Every structure is written in C-alpha cells, then in structure tokens.
Amino acid sequence: MAIDAEILQTLDQMPESLKQELLHYAKYLVENYSKAISQESYIMAIHLTEC
C-alpha cells in the first residue's frame, strides 16, 4: 500500500494540467496491459493445445 500513498502524495504536488495528462497515460497503460495479457493468454492456450 506504500506505492498508493506515494502516488497520491505526488499527485497532490502536480498542477491540474499535468494530472490530466497523467490520467490519459494511465488509461492508455491499463488498456494496453489488458490487451497484452489477453494476447499472452491466447498464445499460451494455443501452445498448450499443440503439445
């Protein structure tokens, strides 16, 4: 939980414009992480069925 506190502390120091950019980037990361995990799971499933 220490990382959450550090993130919030850092956010408190940011101007609103930077917070907005950070929000866009965080959403981008979450979306792409989800896609990457899905692709990885799909590849693993194919590999397991081929063995």
Side-chain angles (χ1 to χ4, degrees):
M1 198 71 143
I3 188 80
D4 292 340
E6 190 171 348
I7 290 169
L8 291 174
Q9 184 179 28
T10 303
L11 281 172
D12 286 340
Q13 298 172 14
M14 290 181 174
E16 289 300 315
S17 59
L18 188 54
K19 288 178 186 178
Q20 189 66 37
E21 290 299 319
L22 181 60
L23 176 61
H24 289 274
Y25 186 56
K27 288 181 177 182
Y28 167 82
L29 290 174
V30 168
E31 182 180 327
N32 285 303
Y33 178 77
S34 297
K35 288 178 185 176
I37 294 300
S38 295
Q39 288 175 349
E40 185 177 315
S41 296
Y42 176 74
I43 291 169
M44 292 286 278
I46 289 174
H47 179 69
L48 290 174
T49 56
E50 290 177 349
C51 292

